[in-house]
């Protein structure tokens, strides 16, 4: 067995060039020129700028800036998500609010600077992928390069002597390497083989997947829509803009993009843990509905629960909240019904302590015959703790002991002023209190079926025995979600391939020695320093050694292949262009 030692003659310039050629194009990463300013005027500056934009360091910098730019979008209230919080922030911090407004921090994802980073990153990725793709295609169509003159200068190498002819060794080496899925061919006096193209393919897939994700996210943000709707049992919803309680959308969204469908809430079912540390936690939480797609679609039954939304084309309907809607009947002094319906109240805590307003806008006349409007502040608890508890807070979210507290007002609710009002709050500016016998605000706790009389024959309010439940739904339409998921999975797969698959080359040379015995040299070269190349080369050399009859060496009759690398024999792998 012969080994390369540190006493080998110094390599010539031609040998250095051969070694560089052997390690060339193990990657599709473009080489970067030494830094320097162009001296060719405008065209030179354009070329320099393009090279910088499509370089690894600029792409990483843009990716870092994009990540940093998303931080204020998560920490600062965004106008596209919650206008109320933005208004509250500006009111509490007027100076800082003006600064944020000028910097576009209240609408980060649609700001000029964030869009510029996004677009530059997009262009950088495309500018990198196109040349790499053509280079990779060229490598697939080409053949592995010829073997260097001195294979013993490569980091992993071995040599032995055999009685077989060089042609027999080359044939055996070709068969072995092709069996191990190497691309191999005979080039001159050596077999050249290469493997690991999936690494570069994975690299390209990763970059293309990033572009797909960028396009999908941009598409989703521009055309997305998100709306919320509270629906009481027995009522329905049609997916039109006017039906939503609140609605927000992307810049390019139009009402025509809404998926046509409708549904009715037949029943809401909620059960809760009765004992233990999880007391009050929902066990069953679902909404049974009937829905139809399109204007003349057939009704179908469905169930929506927190983890199982209703999916209709690009729209998803989520169950996001729940509460109670006591049925209230209001009569005037003559006994005429002026209001009869379920009044949704908003929950204040986990036990569904709820509050809201009952508004009577039309049809009521006071005892003098004048038109007036009535308003009742409502406070509802599904499980009352009793007067001894000293608090009007629910003890459990189920309807174990429902109580409705009402306080009464009359006058003008301001509904005809043209200013939008919340259905859950009452403007008391032009309202007067109904007084009880003690001259205080009229208020009363009512159990289902009980009635509160208004003073001086002004009418009555009855808390009905039927207490309905309501469900809050969020309708989300975000196109591009499937493409974003596909891009993310492809990016993970491509990144895994580029990290765990190594591009490497193997050469096998068999020539007649001075004594007429065939000398076999075998060497391997990888894209980067790794123990995998020497290990694989040792395995291949062992198999090839067994297939070719060994010949006794001049010093060691029991010669056998050895891939050990002695100090001073390895030549560093040629530096390659950085890649993204």
């Amino acid at each position: 067995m012969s080994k390369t030692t540190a006493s080998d003659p110094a390599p010539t310039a031609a040998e250095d060039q051969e070694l560089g050629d052997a390690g060339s194009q193990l990657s599709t990463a473009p080489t970067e020129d030494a830094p320097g300013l162009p001296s060719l005027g405008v065209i030179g500056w354009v070329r320099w700028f393009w090279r910088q934009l499509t370089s690894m360091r600029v792409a990483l910098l843009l990716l870092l800036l994009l990540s940093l730019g998303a931080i204020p979008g998560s920490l600062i209230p965004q106008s596209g998500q919650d206008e109320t919080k933005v208004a509250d922030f500006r009111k509490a911090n007027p100076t800082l609010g003006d600064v944020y407004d000028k910097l576009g921090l209240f609408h980060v994802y649609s700001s000029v600077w964030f869009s510029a980073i996004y677009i530059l990153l997009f262009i950088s990725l495309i500018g990198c992928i196109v040349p790499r793709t053509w280079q990779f295609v060229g490598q697939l169509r080409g053949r592995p390069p010829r073997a260097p003159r001195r294979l013993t200068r490569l980091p992993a190498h071995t040599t032995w002597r055999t009685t077989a002819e060089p042609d027999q060794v080359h044939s055996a080496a070709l068969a072995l390497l092709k069996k191990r899925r190497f691309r191999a061919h005979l080039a001159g006096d050596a077999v050249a083989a290469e493997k690991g193209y999936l690494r570069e393919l994975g690299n390209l897939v990763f970059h293309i997947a990033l572009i797909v994700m960028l396009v999908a996210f941009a598409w989703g943000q521009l055309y997305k829509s998100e709306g919320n709707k509270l629906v009481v049992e027995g009522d329905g919803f049609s997916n039109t803009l006017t039906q939503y309680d609140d609605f927000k959308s992307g810049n390019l969204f139009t009402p025509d993009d809404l998926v046509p469908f409708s549904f009715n809430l037949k029943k809401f079912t909620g059960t809760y843990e009765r004992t233990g540390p999880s007391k009050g936690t929902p066990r069953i939480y679902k909404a049974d509905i009937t829905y139809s797609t399109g204007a003349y679609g057939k009704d179908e039954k469905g169930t929506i629960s927190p983890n199982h939304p209703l999916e209709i084309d690009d729209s998803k309907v989520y169950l996001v909240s729940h509460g109670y809607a006591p049925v209230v009947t209001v009569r005037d002094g003559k006994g005429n019904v002026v209001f009869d319906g379920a009044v949704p109240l908003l929950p204040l805590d986990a036990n569904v302590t709820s509050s809201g307003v009952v508004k009577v806008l039309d049809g009521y006349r006071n005892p003098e015959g004048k038109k007036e409007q009535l308003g009742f502040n409502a406070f509802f608890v599904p499980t009352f703790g009793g007067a001894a508890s000293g608090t009007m807070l629910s003890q459990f979210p189920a309807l174990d002991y429902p109580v409705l507290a009402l306080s009464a007002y009359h006058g003008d609710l301001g509904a005809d002023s043209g200013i939008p009002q919340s259905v859950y709050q009452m403007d008391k500016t032009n309202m007067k209190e109904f007084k009880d016998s003690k001259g205080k605000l009229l208020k009363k706790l009512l159990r289902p079926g009980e009635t509160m009389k208004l003073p001086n024959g002004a009418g009555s309010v009855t808390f009905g025995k039927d207490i309905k439940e309501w469900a809050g739904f969020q309708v989300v339409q975000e196109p591009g979600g499937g493409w974003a998921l596909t891009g993310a999975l492809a990016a993970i797969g491509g990144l895994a391939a580029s990290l765990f698959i190594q591009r490497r080359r193997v050469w096998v040379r068999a020539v007649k020695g001075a004594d007429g015995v065939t000398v076999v040299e075998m060497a391997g070269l990888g894209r980067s320093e790794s123990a995998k190349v020497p290990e694989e080369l040792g395995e291949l050399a062992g198999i090839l050694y067994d297939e070719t009859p060994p010949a006794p060496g001049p010093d060691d009759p029991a010669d056998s292949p050895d891939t050990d690398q002695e100090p001073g024999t390895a030549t560093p792998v040629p530096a390659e262009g950085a890649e993204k």
Side-chain angles (χ1 to χ4, degrees):
M1 178 72 183
S2 61
K3 295 181 180 180
T4 304
T5 65
S7 61
D8 292 341
T12 65
E15 291 174 344
D16 285 339
Q17 180 63 34
E18 285 183 351
L19 187 60
D21 294 340
S24 65
Q25 295 185 346
L26 275 172
S27 168
T28 57
T31 58
E32 295 188 9
D33 299 332
L37 295 177
S39 58
L40 300 178
V42 176
I43 297 178
W45 276 103
V46 171
R47 289 177 177 173
W48 176 84
F49 177 78
W50 177 254
R51 289 176 181 175
Q52 298 304 310
L53 182 60
T54 57
S55 66
M56 178 196 66
R57 55 181 174 269
V58 172
L60 291 177
L61 178 61
L62 290 172
L63 194 58
L64 175 62
L65 290 177
L66 196 69
S67 302
L68 294 177
I71 294 176
S74 302
L75 301 179
I76 300 174
Q78 299 295 291
S79 56
Q81 298 177 357
D82 197 330
E83 290 283 0
T84 304
K85 287 186 177 180
V86 173
D88 292 342
F89 185 91
R90 284 175 172 167
K91 185 177 180 180
N93 307 275
T95 304
L96 191 59
D98 291 340
V99 174
Y100 282 2
D101 199 21
K102 292 179 180 179
L103 295 177
L105 298 182
F106 289 127
H107 50 92
V108 168
Y109 303 110
S110 60
S111 63
V112 175
W113 58 268
F114 191 87
S115 301
I117 298 174
Y118 201 91
I119 294 173
L120 286 175
L121 179 59
F122 187 81
I123 295 174
S124 179
L125 289 173
I126 293 179
C128 178
I129 287 175
V130 173
R132 288 175 70 118
T133 301
W134 285 116
Q135 187 175 354
F136 182 63
V137 171
Q139 292 180 17
L140 290 178
R141 297 178 62 181
R143 289 186 169 188
R146 297 169 62 93
R149 189 174 305 171
R150 295 174 62 186
L151 291 177
T152 54
R153 289 193 60 216
L154 295 179
H157 63 269
T158 184
T159 180
W160 71 92
R161 293 157 56 88
T162 177
T163 59
E165 294 296 320
D167 290 344
Q168 294 176 319
V169 176
H170 290 155
S171 298
L174 276 172
L176 172 62
L177 292 170
K178 288 181 178 180
K179 184 178 179 181
R180 293 299 183 95
R181 298 189 298 278
F182 278 85
R183 296 178 62 210
H185 72 107
L186 182 63
D189 61 352
V191 173
E194 188 169 4
K195 189 178 182 180
Y197 287 94
L198 286 180
R199 176 190 179 95
E200 299 305 323
L201 180 61
N203 219 324
L204 291 174
V205 168
F206 173 74
H207 285 76
I208 294 172
L210 287 181
I211 292 181
V212 171
M213 292 172 62
L214 288 174
V215 172
F217 288 145
W219 183 19
Q221 289 297 315
L222 291 173
Y223 289 96
K224 74 173 183 178
S225 65
E226 180 181 304
N228 294 284
K229 179 63 178 179
L230 185 152
V231 182
V232 179
E233 287 177 331
D235 293 342
F237 166 77
S238 179
N239 193 27
T240 59
L241 209 56
T242 57
Q243 288 276 300
Y244 284 99
D245 296 331
D246 61 83
F247 185 84
K248 55 188 177 183
S249 62
N251 294 335
L252 299 182
F253 172 85
T254 64
D256 294 336
D257 295 327
L258 288 172
V259 176
F261 70 88
S262 59
F263 66 85
N264 290 313
L265 176 60
K266 295 300 182 180
K267 181 178 177 57
F268 180 88
T269 303
T271 61
Y272 309 89
E273 288 286 349
R274 290 282 175 177
T275 58
S278 300
K279 180 180 179 181
T281 303
R283 297 184 61 187
I284 299 176
Y285 207 69
K286 64 177 184 177
D288 295 321
I289 65 169
T290 59
Y291 68 95
S292 61
T293 304
Y296 306 101
K298 183 181 178 181
D299 285 347
E300 300 181 49
K301 293 183 179 180
T303 299
I304 304 176
S305 59
N307 295 323
H308 298 87
L310 172 68
E311 298 187 28
I312 303 176
D313 293 338
D314 288 337
S315 290
K316 292 184 179 181
V317 183
Y318 295 91
L319 176 63
V320 295
S321 58
H322 156 258
Y324 294 102
V327 176
V328 176
T329 303
V330 181
R331 293 179 172 84
D332 62 15
K334 296 181 180 180
N336 299 318
V337 176
V338 293
F339 178 89
D340 186 16
V343 181
L345 304 179
L346 298 181
L348 302 176
D349 57 26
N351 286 327
V352 203
T353 302
S354 308
S355 68
V357 176
V358 181
K359 296 182 179 181
V360 180
L361 301 177
D362 298 308
Y364 175 77
R365 291 181 180 272
N366 62 19
E368 287 77 24
K370 294 181 180 180
K371 290 184 178 181
E372 271 191 325
Q373 294 176 339
L374 301 180
F376 303 89
N377 276 332
F379 204 82
F380 176 78
V381 289
T383 301
F384 184 46
S389 66
T391 179
M392 185 64 178
L393 293 176
S394 178
Q395 307 300 306
F396 196 74
L399 291 171
D400 293 345
Y401 188 2
V403 171
L404 177 66
L406 293 175
S407 56
Y409 298 82
H410 64 100
D412 182 8
L413 289 169
D416 300 328
S417 63
I419 301 176
Q421 290 186 350
S422 170
V423 296
Y424 306 106
Q425 295 178 344
M426 179 169 54
D427 183 2
K428 301 177 184 177
T429 305
N430 299 315
M431 300 293 287
K432 299 179 181 179
E433 298 177 350
F434 278 109
K435 303 293 184 179
D436 59 14
S437 58
K438 299 180 180 179
K440 296 182 179 181
L441 172 65
L442 178 65
K443 53 186 178 181
K444 188 175 181 180
L445 299 182
L446 301 177
R447 292 276 290 133
E450 295 182 348
T451 299
M452 179 177 72
K453 295 289 186 179
L454 300 179
N456 303 320
S460 64
V461 183
T462 301
F463 176 21
K465 293 183 179 180
D466 183 20
I467 301 175
K468 294 187 177 182
E469 300 187 47
W470 59 260
F473 298 95
Q474 184 179 70
V475 182
V476 177
Q477 188 170 328
E478 191 170 5
W483 284 102
L485 177 60
T486 302
L489 295 176
I492 294 173
L495 184 61
S498 65
L499 290 176
F500 298 110
I501 298 176
Q502 186 177 19
R503 185 92 171 266
R504 63 264 192 202
R505 289 170 179 165
V506 173
W507 292 275
V508 181
R509 174 180 285 129
V511 295
K512 286 284 187 180
D515 56 357
V517 178
T518 301
V519 177
V520 181
E521 293 180 336
M522 194 171 185
L525 181 64
R527 234 190 109 240
S528 57
E529 294 184 6
S530 170
K532 185 174 183 179
V533 173
E535 290 174 1
E536 186 176 39
L537 184 69
E539 182 183 357
L540 293 172
I543 297 174
L544 188 60
Y545 179 81
D546 293 338
E547 294 180 0
T548 55
D555 300 320
D556 186 7
D559 194 13
S560 62
D562 187 355
T563 60
D564 291 339
Q565 186 178 325
E566 295 183 356
T569 63
T571 300
V573 180
E576 302 177 22
E579 60 178 311
K580 296 179 185 177

